[in-house]
Amino acid sequence: MPRPFTLFTGQWADLPLEQVCSYAADFGYDGLELACWGDHFEVDKALADPGYLASRHALLAKYGLKCWAVSNHLVGQAVCDSIIDERHQAILPSRIWGDGDPEGVRRRAAREMADTARAAAAFGVRTVVGFTGSSIWHLVAMFPPVPERMVERGYEDFAERWNPVLDVFDAEGVRFAHEVHPSEIAYDYWSTQRALEAIGHRSAFGLNFDPSHFVWQDLDPVGFLYDFRDRIYHVDCKEARTRLDGRNGRLGSHLPWGDPRRGWDFVSAGHGDVPWEDVFRMLRSIGYEGPVSVEWEDAGMDRLAGAPEALTHLKRFDFDPPGAAFDAAFGGGGG
C-alpha cells in the first residue's frame, strides 16, 4: 500500500498555513510536516490556547490533509550549541532568545523542546523532528589539535542537556527524530553511533533520514538506512548535487546557496545525486511505514514548480512489492 507523502512547511513559513495547505492539496500531497515557526505550529499557543490545536486540525481537514510529524529544528539547534550569536537570534522566538545570554538561551531552548513533545502529544502526533545543536561542531577541522577529552565532553554535554528533554518525550509517548546533519551532534555515520551510545540507545531518540546530507559527505545513504534501521523514525526527501571539479570545494568556501563556485548544493528531488530507487527499496526492506516528507530546497528553482515536480518524481519509486516471489511459478510444475 502506498505510503503517505507530506510537504515539510519549513521552507514555506513565510506564507500563512492556509495558503500552504491550499498549495499542498493542489500539488497532490497527503499531508504536511508542520514546522514550529511562522504561524504553522506555535508551541506556546498549542499549550496555552484551548482552541488552537482544534483550529489546526480543522484547517488541515478543510484541505483533505493530515499531519504525522511536527518539526522544531530551529529551537533544537540552540540546546547544545557552544557558540550562541546573532545567527540564533535570527531564527529563535524572542521568548527563547531573551537577553541573549548563551546559557539562558540553551536552557530556554531545552524547555521549549520538552514543550514541543507535550504540544505534539496533545495534537495527536507521535514524532517530533529536529536538530540537537552541538558543543563540538566547531572542532571538526581538528586544529588547533583537539584532545579526545574535549570530544568526550561534547557527547556528555549532549546527554546532560537532552536526557531531561527525552524524559518528557517518554512521558508523553512521543519520539524525537534527530536529523543527521552537519553542525549537529550526529552528522555522519560514526558520530551518529556515538550520539546513540551517549544516551544509552534510549528509544525516545531516533533519526530523521535526509539523504541530501550524505551525498556531499560521500556517505552511503542506503547502507546507513540498513545499519540504523531500528532508529529511522521519519524520512525527509531532500536532494543534493556535487560539483567537485578541482576548484569547487566540499566545504563550500563561504559561498551562498546557488553560487556556481560551490562544490555542492541542495537541489529539488530528481535533480541531484541521491539514489532514490535504492532508498525506497531499502525503506521497504527495513519495514519503514511512516510518511515520506518532501523538504524542498533549491536556490535555482521556484518552489511552486519544484514541490509538485518532486512529489511526482518520488512517487515513481513507491511501488507496491509483489504479492508472491517472482520465481514461485517455477516450482510445482507438471511432467
Side-chain angles (χ1 to χ4, degrees), residues 99-265:
D99 61 3
D101 172 70
E103 186 58 23
V105 172
R106 295 183 197 105
R107 293 184 183 277
R108 287 188 292 274
R111 289 197 294 269
E112 181 85 352
M113 293 308 295
D115 279 346
T116 306
R118 297 182 178 103
F123 193 52
V125 167
R126 298 301 170 189
T127 303
V128 172
V129 183
F131 291 151
T132 60
S134 171
S135 66
I136 53 175
W137 172 251
H138 66 290
L139 307 178
V140 71
M142 298 296 283
F143 191 86
V146 179
E148 174 58 24
R149 182 60 188 141
M150 287 186 71
V151 177
E152 291 174 357
R153 283 202 301 268
Y155 286 98
E156 290 168 1
D157 176 76
F158 157 65
E160 289 168 4
R161 294 183 185 277
W162 274 92
N163 270 323
V165 176
L166 296 173
D167 289 342
V168 178
F169 273 76
D170 276 333
E172 296 293 338
V174 178
R175 307 181 303 179
F176 183 71
H178 166 60
E179 184 169 335
V180 178
H181 183 294
S183 79
E184 311 308 324
I185 196 66
Y187 60 90
D188 63 8
Y189 187 99
W190 298 114
S191 60
T192 297
Q193 187 178 90
R194 195 160 182 179
L196 291 168
E197 290 170 353
I199 55 167
H201 294 271
R202 61 184 299 176
S203 60
F205 186 90
L207 307 173
N208 177 54
F209 174 76
D210 179 343
S212 65
H213 308 300
F214 294 73
V215 164
W216 69 270
Q217 294 188 80
D218 279 341
L219 301 173
D220 175 11
V222 180
F224 184 94
L225 278 175
Y226 183 78
D227 287 357
F228 293 99
R229 55 193 178 275
D230 64 327
R231 293 291 163 153
I232 305 302
Y233 290 174
H234 192 261
V235 170
D236 273 352
C237 288
K238 191 160 89 269
E239 182 116 33
R241 178 171 59 197
T242 57
R243 296 184 301 276
L244 302 171
D245 61 4
R247 293 181 300 170
N248 298 351
R250 192 178 303 282
L251 298 183
S253 307
H254 294 296
L255 294 168
W257 303 117
D259 191 303
R261 297 171 293 170
R262 285 183 58 86
W264 66 276
D265 242 317

